[in-house]
């Protein structure tokens, strides 16, 4: 029954893609991975997005291809 909401680009919530080659990637967010917090359900502790990373003139361009709130794989 509790939630924490954070604005986009909140400190510590970024991924450095310097040196990462262009391609399609799954970015996975997991919580309570070691299961130290007691929960009613553990099957909703991951979410993912499939992204395309491209480089143009030395700058990264990221396109979200799919968002999967119900699991670690898209």
């Amino acid at each position: 029954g509790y939630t924490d909401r954070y604005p986009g680009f909140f400190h510590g919530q970024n991924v450095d893609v310097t040196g990462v080659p262009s391609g399609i990637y799954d970015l996975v967010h997991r919580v309570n991975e070691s299961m130290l917090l007691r929960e009613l359900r553990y099957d909703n502790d991951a979410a993912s997005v499939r992204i395309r990373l491209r480089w143009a003139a030395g700058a990264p361009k990221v396109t979200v291809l799919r968002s999967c709130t119900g699991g670690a794989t898209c």
Side-chain angles (χ1 to χ4, degrees):
Y2 296 92
T3 180
D4 287 327
R5 296 187 184 258
Y6 298 99
F9 306 106
F10 196 61
H11 67 275
Q13 295 188 23
N14 60 322
V15 177
D16 184 1
V17 296
T18 304
V20 176
S22 294
I24 295 176
Y25 296 91
D26 287 338
L27 179 61
V28 179
H29 175 81
R30 297 180 192 274
V31 297
N32 198 21
E33 191 170 14
S34 58
M35 300 173 90
L36 294 176
L37 296 173
R38 188 172 176 201
E39 300 182 66
L40 293 176
R41 299 176 42 197
Y42 295 93
D43 63 337
N44 62 350
D45 285 353
S48 59
V49 290
R50 179 161 290 171
I51 60 168
R52 175 180 287 120
L53 172 65
R54 293 181 287 167
W55 292 91
K61 175 163 176 55
V62 176
T63 305
V64 175
L65 302 175
R66 189 177 315 156
S67 178
C68 303
T69 59
T73 57
C74 251

